[in-house]
Amino acid sequence: MIIGNALYSVEIDEENGRIKSLSNGKKEFIKEETPLFRMSLRDINGEETRVDSDMAELTDFTVSNQALSLVFAFNSEFEVIIDFKFNKDIRVQSKVINKGERAIEWISCPCFAVPNDLIGNGGTSKILWGFNEGAVIEDINYREKGWFGYREPKYPGEGSMPIFPGMVQMQCMAYYGADGGLYIATHDNNGNVKSFDFQDKNESIEFDIRLFTGAQIGADYEQDYPFVMKFFEGDWQVAAEIYRGWFEENKQSDFKKITQNENLPDWYKDSPVVITYPIRGKHDMDIMNPNNMFPYMNAMAHIERLSQELDSKIMVILMHWEGSAPWSPPYVWPPYGGEDSLKEFIDALHKQGNLIGVYCSGLGWTEQSLLVKEYNRHNDYLENNFEKEMCASPQGIVEKSHICDFIRSGYDFCPTSEVLYNILKNELKQIVDSGIDYVQILDQNHGGNSYFCYSKNHGHPPVPGKWQIDAVKKLLGRLNEVTKERKVLLGCESAAGESYIPELLFSDNRYELCYNVGKPVPLYGDLYHEYVNNFSGNQVCTDYFINCKKSPESLCLRIAHSFIAGDMLTLVLSDSGKIMWNWGWREYDNVPNQDEVIKLVKNLNYWRKAYPQYLLSGQMVQNFNIDSSKHVVYQRDNEEVLHDDVYYSAWTDGNKKAQFIVNYNVEPKQCKVDFSENKKYEIVSCDGAVQGEGKSVEITVSPLSAIMIETAY
């Protein structure tokens, strides 16, 4: 059966419900037929069975008024109803009537596979993925050969699993190219748990989007939000604007724009540059002896120098500061070296108008530190019966955590645990009382994500679902009560997943991980910048994804990306005060050109402070058409990836549009800006302002600097 309009046509197989064809009139978007849906079931013992629509009987196929309803029967145990609505977009919702004694863990519907005509396979197409603030994949093989190839969510949890809200922060994707694009999203303002991924099927790429139900054993499931597909023309920003249009109309009431958010401290608008370093060891798996940054005051000369050279406030964020053991949650206080030593440093920073934050390590319980051998809490674990508070497998077994298991051995707390809340509250209160300004409370819980728990003894359903979101939001809301008086902000590793933005207003972006799947794009900033600014993070693992020696411009390139994404900027220091390529770099005699990095950061942070209506609280909008030269960046195993010589993003305050263009190189770079229509403009640079009018303009951007083109919006 074919259903169509002027925008698209869809063909559904009346025998089995498969999507046989999906076309925008220029291109066929279905390369390989798949079952219409797949479903995971768990029995009382936690054993999993997977079924799909091909295993069921299609008992009803009803068409009425731009709608289609299909009913599938699985013997006498389940009835699955799939409803389509066809308008400007295609909307799909599922309902499962459960007559048996199993829980519905997740359903994936509709399932479909698009052509593998990505650029890396000789085509023109790309995939937009909401992984770590946004990535564009041009080569499925490049993605699959890296650390973050296709993987199914499972227990025990892993930070890199493609969970929303988590390391995948937004519930939209896109597949697009020269013949148009397909926007794919779930329009769910309650933020139910989902996974968003895709996998290589040789000639096709199958999207794998799972909707986790949070259903009890024997309970029905009804999807109360639509899965949406919509055709569009253009690049990833067009897809982003579709999602943002829905989000703005349907967001929860706790989302406050930066200009209206009374929970934000005054320093937010000052755009401090983040300076991060450890006080013990020099990298994650080092011997944890004090380094040259300890005692804490040893760093003051470096902070004073950088504040002057950058003409910016500094926020120091300490690593390896915990008095327990580095990255060994949940206990962190007192600080290494004692409270008095840290307090002296806090007071000295504040006296100069600077700030301080600390990394903490998320919702874990450390039984044994692998860095500080004497740190062992096995007896505490047994005496307090903490096992009953931990995430359990579908079979009810508490297994060791997979999170940073090269640093610590332990377990993952279930987010519903009152014991967890009491421990974190006690630790956080002491941190806040010390005068610290920022706490990355959920480092290693990417995006604020909690890990899957299937326990039948915690009061939540025995499968993943929205109960996790509710539990984390409740936990963070209670912790924010501790920080409220001083407006100490909480954050997580990677930007906060959409659901957690109101509670996590300053986080450690991890877009550098996108270099291991393709290229980062500022999707997160496009969607949420009016509500939250983050910082560009400690850039851990960059040296695995980029060959910094062969691409010495790579740090400035990453700084430029952070800027155009709307992030506050970050530098990582060695214990000698040198700017490093990234946290975890181990060749201490090989460092970036210090003067070049400082010049670029100073220049870019000037723009953040001078034009907050755009770069602090503005909305990202479509770029003008910008044509520039490109050069090779050596990513991963010396793979040559082309990057633009200038990076750019555009913003509006509602009245004017500002196109920022950054040259992160040490030579001048030319580009052509096409307005597509006659426009009056003003070009602002370090040399002053020039006004003009026309349909396009050719610009030379000075080394290690940016320009702004301002027009009417």
Side-chain angles (χ1 to χ4, degrees), residues 308-569:
Q308 291 174 359
E309 291 177 343
L310 298 172
D311 189 25
S312 298
K313 280 191 175 183
I314 299 296
M315 173 176 277
V316 171
I317 302 186
L318 296 173
M319 295 183 285
H320 294 183
W321 66 278
E322 307 96 319
S324 52
W327 314 118
S328 295
Y331 305 106
V332 294
W333 200 263
Y336 184 75
E339 296 178 47
D340 291 343
S341 179
L342 179 58
K343 181 63 174 170
E344 181 185 12
F345 184 52
I346 293 170
D347 290 344
L349 286 170
H350 286 168
K351 186 176 180 179
Q352 295 182 347
N354 293 317
L355 304 144
I356 182 168
V358 291
Y359 281 91
C360 295
S361 297
L363 308 181
W365 167 271
T366 302
E367 185 174 49
Q368 172 67 63
S369 169
L370 305 182
L371 302 178
V372 180
K373 299 296 184 182
E374 59 268 29
Y375 185 78
N376 181 288
R377 301 195 73 133
H378 177 68
N379 289 337
D380 288 347
Y381 187 75
L382 296 178
E383 290 170 7
N384 292 286
N385 193 21
F386 280 132
E387 182 177 71
K388 65 182 175 59
E389 309 295 332
M390 303 303 163
C391 293
S393 75
Q395 290 73 39
I397 299 168
V398 174
E399 298 181 23
K400 286 288 181 72
S401 172
H402 285 190
I403 309 304
C404 293
D405 55 4
F406 53 92
I407 290 176
R408 62 179 184 261
S409 175
Y411 307 92
D412 298 316
F413 268 109
C414 177
T416 63
S417 170
E418 191 70 10
V419 169
L420 168 65
Y421 163 67
N422 287 326
I423 292 172
L424 290 183
K425 178 184 177 183
N426 182 61
E427 298 297 304
L428 181 59
K429 186 176 187 308
Q430 295 176 93
I431 295 171
V432 170
D433 288 348
S434 74
I436 284 170
D437 303 290
Y438 166 70
V439 184
Q440 190 152 305
I441 192 82
L442 294 187
D443 193 70
Q444 295 153 19
N445 287 87
H446 286 267
N449 176 41
S450 63
Y451 298 110
F452 284 2
C453 180
Y454 295 82
S455 173
K456 299 178 180 67
N457 302 314
H458 291 171
H460 60 70
V463 295
K466 187 176 181 297
W467 64 264
Q468 292 176 246
I469 313 301
D470 295 340
V472 172
K473 285 184 72 69
K474 179 181 177 181
L475 173 66
L476 292 172
R478 294 168 80 188
L479 293 175
N480 270 307
E481 288 298 314
V482 178
T483 69
K484 196 171 186 178
E485 184 176 349
R486 289 192 48 242
K487 296 187 177 181
V488 175
L489 295 186
L490 301 181
C492 60
E493 183 170 4
S494 300
E498 179 180 289
S499 302
Y500 306 130
I501 288 173
E503 291 81 22
L504 299 170
L505 289 167
F506 193 58
S507 294
D508 185 327
N509 279 7
R510 289 300 163 98
Y511 69 85
E512 79 276 4
L513 302 182
C514 295
Y515 293 112
N516 206 30
V517 299
K519 294 178 182 177
V521 293
L523 174 61
Y524 193 91
D526 193 299
L527 298 178
Y528 309 120
H529 186 260
E530 291 180 282
Y531 302 91
V532 62
N533 282 195
N534 295 302
F535 62 101
S536 49
N538 66 24
Q539 298 282 294
V540 68
C541 298
T542 297
D543 47 317
Y544 292 98
F545 310 146
I546 294 180
N547 188 325
C548 298
K549 294 178 181 178
K550 290 188 71 172
S551 294
E553 80 287 5
S554 62
L555 177 54
C556 287
L557 173 150
R558 286 179 277 131
I559 290 167
H561 177 85
S562 296
F563 174 81
I564 63 104
D567 295 343
M568 299 188 204
L569 306 176

Side-chain angles (χ1 to χ4, degrees), residues 156-173:
E158 295 178 5
S160 56
M161 289 177 180
I163 298 297
F164 167 87
M167 193 172 249
V168 173
Q169 290 106 357
M170 60 288 293
Q171 31 180 354
C172 60
M173 301 176 72

Side-chain angles (χ1 to χ4, degrees), residues 57 67 70 90 250 296 335 450 464 505 536 711:
E57 180 186 0
L70 297 90
I90 302 165
N250 296 276
Y296 299 93
S450 63
L505 289 167
S536 49
T711 67

